[in-house]
């Protein structure tokens, strides 16, 4: 399989030159680009929603370039930068276009950002996409402003008079925006207002997709419609139904095509990137399914090599393999019309790694068939979440992602498992659940889930069991929450365990963490306590990490909105988790390799090992669940291409030792 490079490119139709065109053509040949995706009306060149004549100016400049690119066997795609609009930026809707703008949850009215249910906007956006389709692009993209949130500086939308009328009819009474919003966020059992809002947001975006799809494919049946996505937890609070939305976008005979968000527009710590990669990019890929065509986006804003090194760009591109990506959108150059800079040497960089990417793609990763711990996520969580204070929209964000970043950083083999409620009969698996995802399950589903699997649970998921009178499933009699930084708990101490050659290691419970749920277990509960909470003068307070009934692993903490589970990212906790899980179930993980990700596909007999740190590991120590063959093929990148090596595995008990170095930011593929 040929891994595809799709270059996102902005030209200025008012000042484009032949010199810039030549630089573009030279670049795409040297960089082995497969598709040039022209961005229209983007960022600094954006001047509100375009009229038909204004769109024509862009297309008139692109069409000759499209013809030249076709001679080089390079396809052309179109990425209009506006659907709803990212933000007002001082503009207002052209009276000739004349659609209504949205109103956010605080009653603020936008000047230039469309109401997504407005009939005039719907006709307008379809007419625009018909015009884009007229040049028959390979992919025609919907920007990630196609959403109900994050339209700076406004909050969640839409609460315009048109929408409020819809809500009030379904509600059967009149409510102001503030009253409706208050009810949406109200603590306790979710209200009818929240369901009405989520259902409407979900419905109208699917309707919009269907309208655009029919328009585009009537004019250009061969064009694939593609969509850019953002954070899956934020999409949950607009009621996104991933399958229905993307199937509406596809139409008949077309694949789902998407850009999963890659969480680093500027260079960040690869360790931090690795956590967010799991929490956002991998969860998005899982929601989209194995048949989707994925082009994650490598973006370098605010541009030039000042913001991101070539090694980090290479690292980002290569690790898209861990999403099952078939290619990448390359946003390497700015959106002001400067064009290509040969000085940055990006063409040489891309050309050198492409053979390696295509080799890795011969064994594409399918997230839904990976072995290891299954992290459960649910697109419908915002429907059932119970808010704490009911004051911020963020209280509706599902936090089922926390295990994803943590366990992968602990070098466990993991995968993401979206719950559909059509078939959630999981048996004999290792499952991780966090937040309030269990509120989406019936009592019998919860009972079967916990009795039939090894389950990792956090404090908030345990609270759901307490609320539902199901805590006896994990031997818990009661629980009491203690907020951090209140003088109660200070640190967690392992009980009789050695990790990293430290006896009874301690991890903070004071900072960069959530609150502590102090549990009281039933007298006859079969429980083994692995760590305990202590205060600052060493007084033991209660259990922290425990195993109940040889199948349920307890981590009784909550999520902190700012820091998440940051305190848990400790090699002491890594060692503790590895010991705990190994005591009850065979599972796959890497030993003494923090921040190195492990992915295993037993069906294809492929393993991916990816180092999200700046450390070098001189060998791979793999604690396996199934005994591997004695010889493997290891594929790694070289300076100009890739190399395959036959390597013998040394087996010691249930540990496989592979004598192969793993360099910083390196991803290797192993065939066994």
């Amino acid at each position: 399989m040929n891994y595809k490079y799709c270059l996102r490119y902005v030209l200025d139709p008012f000042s484009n030159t032949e010199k810039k065109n030549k630089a573009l053509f030279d670049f795409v040949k040297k960089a082995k680009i497969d598709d040039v995706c022209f961005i229209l009306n983007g960022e600094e060149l954006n001047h509100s929603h375009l009229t038909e004549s204004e769109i024509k100016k862009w297309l008139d400049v692109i069409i000759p370039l499209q013809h030249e690119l076709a001679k080089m066997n390079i396809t052309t795609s179109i990425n209009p930068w506006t659907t709803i609009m990212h933000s007002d930026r001082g503009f207002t809707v052209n009276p000739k276009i004349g659609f209504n703008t949205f109103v956010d949850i605080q009653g603020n009215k936008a000047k230039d950002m469309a109401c997504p249910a407005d009939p005039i906007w719907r006709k307008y956006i379809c007419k625009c996409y018909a015009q884009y389709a007229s040049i028959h692009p390979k992919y025609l993209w919907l920007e990630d402003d196609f959403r109900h949130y994050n339209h700076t500086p406004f909050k969640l939308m839409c609460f315009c008079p048109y929408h409020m009328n819809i809500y009030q009819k379904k509600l059967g009474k009149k409510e102001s925006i503030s009253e409706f919003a208050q009810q949406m966020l109200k603590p306790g059992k979710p209200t009818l207002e929240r369901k009405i809002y989520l259902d409407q947001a979900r419905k109208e975006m699917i309707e919009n997709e269907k309208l655009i799809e029919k328009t585009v494919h009537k004019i250009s049946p061969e064009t694939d419609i593609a969509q850019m996505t953002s954070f899956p937890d934020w999409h949950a609070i607009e009621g996104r139904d991933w399958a229905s939305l993307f199937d509406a976008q596809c139409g008949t005979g077309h694949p789902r095509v998407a850009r999963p968000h890659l969480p680093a527009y500027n260079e960040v710590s690869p360790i931090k990137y690795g956590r967010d990669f799991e929490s956002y990019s991998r969860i998005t890929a899982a929601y989209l399914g194995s048949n989707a065509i994925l082009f994650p986006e490598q973006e370098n804003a605010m541009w030039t090599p000042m913001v991101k090194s070539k090694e980090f760009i290479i690292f980002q591109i290569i690790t898209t393999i861990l999403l099952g990506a078939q290619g990448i959108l390359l946003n390497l150059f700015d959106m002001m019309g400067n064009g290509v800079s040969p000085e940055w040497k990006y063409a040489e960089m891309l050309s050198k790694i492409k053979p390696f990417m295509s080799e890795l793609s011969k064994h594409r990763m399918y997230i839904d068939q990976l072995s290891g711990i299954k992290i459960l996520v649910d697109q419908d969580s915002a429907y059932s979440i119970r808010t704490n204070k009911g004051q911020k929209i963020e209280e509706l964000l599902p936090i089922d992602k926390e295990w994803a970043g943590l366990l992968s950083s602990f070098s466990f083999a993991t995968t993401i498992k979206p719950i559909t409620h059509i078939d959630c009969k999981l048996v004999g698996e290792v499952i991780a659940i966090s937040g309030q995802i269990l509120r989406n399950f019936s009592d019998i589903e919860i009972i079967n889930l916990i009795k039939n699997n090894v389950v990792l649970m956090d404090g908030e998921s345990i609270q759901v069991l307490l609320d539902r009178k199901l805590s006896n499933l994990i031997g818990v009699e009661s629980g009491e929450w203690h907020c951090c930084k209140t003088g109660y708990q200070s640190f967690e101490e392992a009980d009789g365990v050695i990790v990293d050659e430290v006896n009874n290691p301690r991890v903070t419970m004071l900072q960069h963490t959530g609150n502590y749920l102090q549990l009281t277990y039933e007298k006859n509960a079969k429980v083994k306590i692995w760590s305990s909470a202590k205060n600052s003068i060493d007084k033991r307070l209660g259990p922290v990490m425990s195993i109940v009934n040889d199948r349920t692993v307890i981590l009784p903490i909550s999520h902190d909105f700012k820091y998440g589970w940051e305190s848990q990212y400790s090699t002491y906790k890594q060692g503790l988790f590895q010991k705990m899980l190994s005591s009850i179930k065979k599972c796959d993980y890497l030993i003494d390799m923090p921040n190195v990700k492990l992915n295993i596909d037993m069906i294809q007999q492929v393993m991916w090992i990816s180092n999200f740190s700046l450390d070098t590991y001189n060998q791979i120590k793999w604690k396996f669940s199934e005994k591997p063959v004695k010889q493997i093929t290891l594929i790694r990148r070289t300076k100009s291409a890739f190399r395959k090596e036959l390597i013998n595995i040394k087996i010691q008990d249930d540990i496989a030792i592979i004598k192969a170095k793993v360099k910083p930011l390196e991803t290797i593929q192993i065939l066994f």
Side-chain angles (χ1 to χ4, degrees), residues 625-640:
S625 59
E626 295 182 32
K627 191 173 182 178
V629 296
K630 292 186 177 180
Q631 191 177 68
I632 53 97
T633 299
L634 187 147
I635 305 169
R636 68 165 78 239
R637 179 171 71 96
T638 61
K639 287 185 177 180
S640 58

Side-chain angles (χ1 to χ4, degrees), residues 493-537:
E493 181 176 281
D495 295 327
V497 180
I498 301 173
V499 180
D500 293 349
E501 298 187 33
V502 174
N503 293 327
N504 306 326
R506 296 172 171 180
V507 174
T508 185
M509 295 181 75
L510 180 69
Q511 54 192 337
H512 290 220
T513 189
N515 302 324
Y516 164 48
L517 179 59
Q518 186 169 328
L519 299 174
T520 299
Y521 289 101
E522 297 168 348
K523 289 182 180 179
N524 297 323
K526 186 179 179 182
V527 56
K528 180 179 178 182
I529 296 172
W530 284 72
S531 67
S532 300
K534 288 190 171 184
N535 65 15
S536 57
I537 56 173

Side-chain angles (χ1 to χ4, degrees), residues 455-493:
V455 182
L456 287 71
M457 301 185 71
D458 73 334
E460 294 182 59
S461 57
I462 295 167
Q463 183 62 56
V464 177
L465 296 187
L466 288 164
D467 294 344
R468 299 272 282 269
K469 311 300 182 187
L470 293 173
S471 61
N472 62 303
L473 289 169
I474 57 171
V476 169
E477 184 178 281
S478 62
E480 181 181 0
W481 285 101
H482 296 279
C483 294
C484 61
K485 296 185 179 179
T486 55
Y488 189 74
Q489 71 271 20
S490 185
F491 58 87
E492 170 189 1
E493 181 176 281

Side-chain angles (χ1 to χ4, degrees), residues 331 420 611:
N331 217 26
T420 63
N611 186 358

Side-chain angles (χ1 to χ4, degrees), residues 1 3 321 325 356-364 669:
M1 175 183 170
Y3 184 88
I321 290 295
F356 179 58
M357 298 305 298
S358 294
E359 180 65 26
L360 293 182
S361 297
K362 290 179 180 178
H363 292 88
R364 184 191 172 208
Q669 190 180 72

Side-chain angles (χ1 to χ4, degrees), residues 172-197:
K173 61 179 180 178
K174 286 191 175 294
E175 284 185 349
S176 66
I177 294 174
S178 60
E179 289 169 337
F180 190 85
Q182 187 177 30
Q183 289 297 312
M184 273 182 63
L185 303 177
K186 184 179 178 181
K189 186 178 179 180
T191 62
L192 179 59
E193 282 86 348
R194 191 194 303 178
K195 184 179 187 304
I196 287 171
Y197 171 78

